[in-house]
Amino acid sequence: MENICSFVSIVGGQCGLDRRDRNRTTGCIPLLSCERDINGHKAMFLFHDIDNGIELILARASTFSSPRNIDQMTICPAHRASLGIGRTRRVPDKM
């Protein structure tokens, strides 16, 4: 697959690997294949109205309705980690 995913134009950043991935996978995958169970993640971060990993990634990319070209969208490991269940809540440093 190509090395630049669909999310570069949506959220910016750079495509690449997920630093936590021991296999160092760098290839993009179809967005529609992101079907991880997110129930534990939803409970931990207390959010609703998102039912699967695809909706979670799109919502965090500020895309709240299904794009017409969703079947052609791809995502790289770096964007998947930062937008999917790999994302962690960032707490600001104390002043």
Side-chain angles (χ1 to χ4, degrees):
M1 297 211 132
E2 62 186 31
N3 292 328
I4 298 176
C5 76
S6 304
F7 287 86
V8 167
S9 62
I10 299 170
V11 299
Q14 294 182 336
C15 290
L17 54 89
D18 175 2
R19 292 177 297 208
R20 296 168 292 198
D21 178 14
R22 292 181 182 170
N23 295 327
R24 300 292 187 208
T25 306
T26 58
C28 298
I29 61 169
L31 176 62
L32 293 178
S33 69
C34 297
E35 298 178 341
R36 288 184 181 156
D37 179 17
I38 65 166
N39 288 324
H41 193 74
K42 284 174 59 172
M44 184 170 51
F45 290 106
L46 302 173
F47 62 86
H48 308 283
D49 299 329
I50 295 175
D51 297 319
N52 58 52
I54 298 165
E55 290 177 2
L56 176 65
I57 291 167
L58 289 171
R60 287 186 171 157
S62 298
T63 305
F64 299 104
S65 61
S66 184
R68 286 189 299 199
N69 66 338
I70 194 168
D71 59 329
Q72 299 170 359
M73 293 179 76
T74 59
I75 190 162
C76 69
H79 281 107
R80 189 173 184 187
S82 67
L83 298 171
I85 62 172
R87 179 178 181 171
T88 58
R89 180 176 285 178
R90 292 183 179 97
V91 178
D93 292 334
K94 292 181 180 181
M95 298 293 235

